[in-house]
Amino acid sequence: MYQATLGRRGYRFSDLRQLMAKASPARSGDYLAEVAAESAEERMAAHIALADLPLKVFLQQPLVPYEQDEVTRLIVDGHDAAAFEPISHLTVGDFRDWLLSEQADSAMLAQVAAGITPEMAAAVSKIMRNQDLILVAKKCRVVTRFRNTLGLPGHLSVRLQPNHPTDSLQGIAASMLDGLLYGSGDAVVGINPASDSLPLLEKLNYMLDEVIQRFAIPTQSCVLTHVTNTLRMIERGAPVDLVFQSIAGTEAANRGFGISLALLAEAQQAALSLNRGTLGNNVMYFETGQGSCLSANAHHGVDQQTCEARAYAVARHFSPLLINTVVGFIGPEYLYDGKQIIRAGLEDHFCGKLLGLPLGCDVCYTNHAEADQDDMDTLLTLLGTAGLTFLIGVPGADDIMLNYQSTSFHDALYIRELLGLKHAPEFAVWLAKMNIIDDRGRLRDTAANHPLLLALQGERP
């Protein structure tokens, strides 16, 4: 039992799970799950009680039972007690103060990351303002490598997302080359296929690899199909760079995705066996999103933001090159409007970075949400200041296959110009060599005889 007094009224919270849910900022998914605070006063009382809670309690009281959930077992069994030691005496409120202090610099945050559980990260985020989430995330440094270097301070990468509703190779190639000419694609060239046809998935893999090899582009490709399809492609000799999978924060939700920790481990080893990375061996790419556990009826009464943070434990175990929250994609049933999407995006980025992950964000919304592109501009700008690892680049910000609104190649130009952010260094050298950017990193006008344009027309330069 946890309790707090606000004014003359006392509030009681039956267990840690309820305390965490009641302390979470208002969002439609938690109301749908009937776990949210009933009033702003109850939410504030939960903040007070949560702030006084020792961090050690999260190691003693799992929110999802250890015996029932392999994600909980991963969190508990993999906890690094030595890394936790410097902060083990703190309460949640003290932890917030420490994170905001000068003592918690980039080196110290990296040192303690393995000792922080997802529930600790979620708990402290609930009592932090937006500016707190931004400031602390900015201090977190997470660098990963495959064919280039991602996550360096002062850099921002872009996943080039050339989706097509019929998986047209020509249409995908056109979008891909368009993105490259705008300087996008250093995070990954990643296609969400409309089909699960293995022969088609292989064609997409071979096409991406052919473009990357032909123009010696220091980046990586990924066809974002189910992990079992990727395993089959690896077995058949396809040129797979990264293994993709959507993941969630409970075993039951992951089972709904058709995955387990053992299956992810098998896929990671298969990708590593190909030895396709030139600078590093981070071969996994994960996507997450608040509401996935609730939509699968697999949340165990835990609020959606804490479930999201637990998904980061799964990701952390596999040392991914990339992970991003698709923050507004699941819909207004879980994040109702621009205000909720903005807050969730900042929470996810903070929690992921605090746990030592290369967190990116698909700054996005569905067309039936109470949000618009101005909200996305706000979130993009806030995440840019917070040290976002990568964002998504979609032609015109309108994904014609997934039918949702994201960010465009032009949005990437905006945020780089505004904040002076650079491409991945190896990719920047290639862009300059191809006369796509100048020596200041700014986009050049593209000549009609540019090799990439000639390739789009089916000609050899």
Side-chain angles (χ1 to χ4, degrees), residues 335-347:
L335 295 170
Y336 178 72
D337 56 14
K339 180 180 177 66
Q340 291 187 11
I341 292 171
I342 289 168
R343 173 69 190 191
L346 294 176
E347 289 170 348

Side-chain angles (χ1 to χ4, degrees), residues 453-460:
L453 286 176
L454 295 177
L456 176 59
Q457 298 164 10
E459 301 176 14
R460 292 283 178 178

Side-chain angles (χ1 to χ4, degrees), residues 227-241:
V227 62
T228 53
N229 288 332
T230 306
L231 273 169
R232 292 170 66 192
M233 285 192 289
I234 292 174
E235 291 168 356
R236 290 158 62 112
V240 172
D241 287 345

Side-chain angles (χ1 to χ4, degrees), residues 81-95:
F84 181 59
E85 180 58 31
I87 58 173
S88 62
H89 61 290
L90 300 177
T91 64
V92 173
D94 294 334
F95 188 34

Side-chain angles (χ1 to χ4, degrees), residues 89-383:
H89 61 290
L90 300 177
T91 64
V92 173
D94 294 334
F95 188 34
R96 171 191 175 273
D97 294 343
W98 181 83
L99 288 170
L100 293 168
S101 72
E102 293 184 1
Q103 181 184 355
D105 58 14
S106 298
M108 178 58 73
L109 289 171
Q111 179 182 326
V112 302
I116 301 171
T117 69
E119 291 84 356
M120 294 175 193
V124 73
S125 75
K126 295 177 191 299
I127 63 169
M128 297 174 82
R129 292 170 58 183
N130 285 0
Q131 65 174 248
D132 300 337
L133 299 174
I134 293 168
L135 182 60
V136 175
K138 179 75 171 181
K139 296 192 288 184
C140 296
R141 302 278 188 257
V142 184
V143 177
T144 57
R145 294 179 175 88
F146 189 75
R147 291 201 189 100
N148 57 22
T149 305
L150 305 177
L152 294 171
H155 292 67
L156 174 67
S157 296
V158 178
R159 170 189 160 189
L160 202 172
Q161 183 170 301
N163 295 342
H164 193 277
T166 64
D167 290 330
S168 162
L169 296 184
Q170 185 176 8
I172 289 170
S175 293
M176 178 169 56
L177 293 172
D178 184 32
L180 290 171
L181 289 170
Y182 276 106
S184 293
D186 49 346
V188 64
V189 181
I191 301 170
N192 296 96
S195 171
D196 278 334
S197 164
L198 196 62
L200 178 58
L201 297 176
E202 289 181 330
K203 286 182 181 179
L204 294 175
N205 257 297
Y206 279 105
M207 182 196 71
L208 292 176
D209 184 62
E210 196 276 333
V211 173
I212 289 173
Q213 299 301 328
R214 175 179 171 186
F215 292 100
I217 308 173
T219 190
Q220 37 281 327
S221 67
C222 186
V223 176
L224 282 71
T225 186
H226 193 270
V227 62
T228 53
N229 288 332
T230 306
L231 273 169
R232 292 170 66 192
M233 285 192 289
I234 292 174
E235 291 168 356
R236 290 158 62 112
V240 172
D241 287 345
L242 305 182
V243 173
F244 168 81
Q245 183 57 48
S246 294
I247 57 174
T250 68
E251 178 180 346
N254 283 326
R255 192 182 308 121
F257 284 142
I259 62 168
S260 65
L261 297 180
L263 179 60
L264 293 177
E266 179 186 353
Q268 182 186 37
Q269 290 305 309
L272 287 171
S273 72
L274 299 179
N275 198 30
R276 293 177 58 82
T278 55
L279 297 183
N281 59 359
N282 299 113
V283 296
M284 304 298 282
Y285 176 20
F286 297 118
E287 283 189 344
T288 65
Q290 289 195 29
S292 58
C293 289
L294 176 57
S295 67
N297 194 27
H299 59 99
H300 295 269
V302 178
D303 67 271
Q304 68 180 41
Q305 189 251 334
T306 302
C307 285
E308 169 71 5
R310 284 171 53 90
Y312 302 155
V314 176
R316 181 167 64 175
H317 184 65
F318 296 102
S319 303
L321 179 75
L322 303 165
I323 170 176
N324 68 270
T325 168
V326 193
V327 66
F329 182 75
I330 301 183
E333 299 84 359
Y334 306 97
L335 295 170
Y336 178 72
D337 56 14
K339 180 180 177 66
Q340 291 187 11
I341 292 171
I342 289 168
R343 173 69 190 191
L346 294 176
E347 289 170 348
D348 294 351
H349 182 250
F350 163 84
C351 288
K353 282 293 195 64
L354 192 62
L355 293 167
L357 285 169
L359 224 294
C361 183
D362 190 346
V363 179
C364 64
Y365 63 101
T366 56
N367 290 309
H368 62 310
E370 290 294 323
D372 58 29
Q373 212 65 37
D374 285 338
D375 295 315
M376 300 305 102
D377 287 348
T378 299
L379 178 54
L380 172 60
T381 305
L382 295 174
L383 287 171

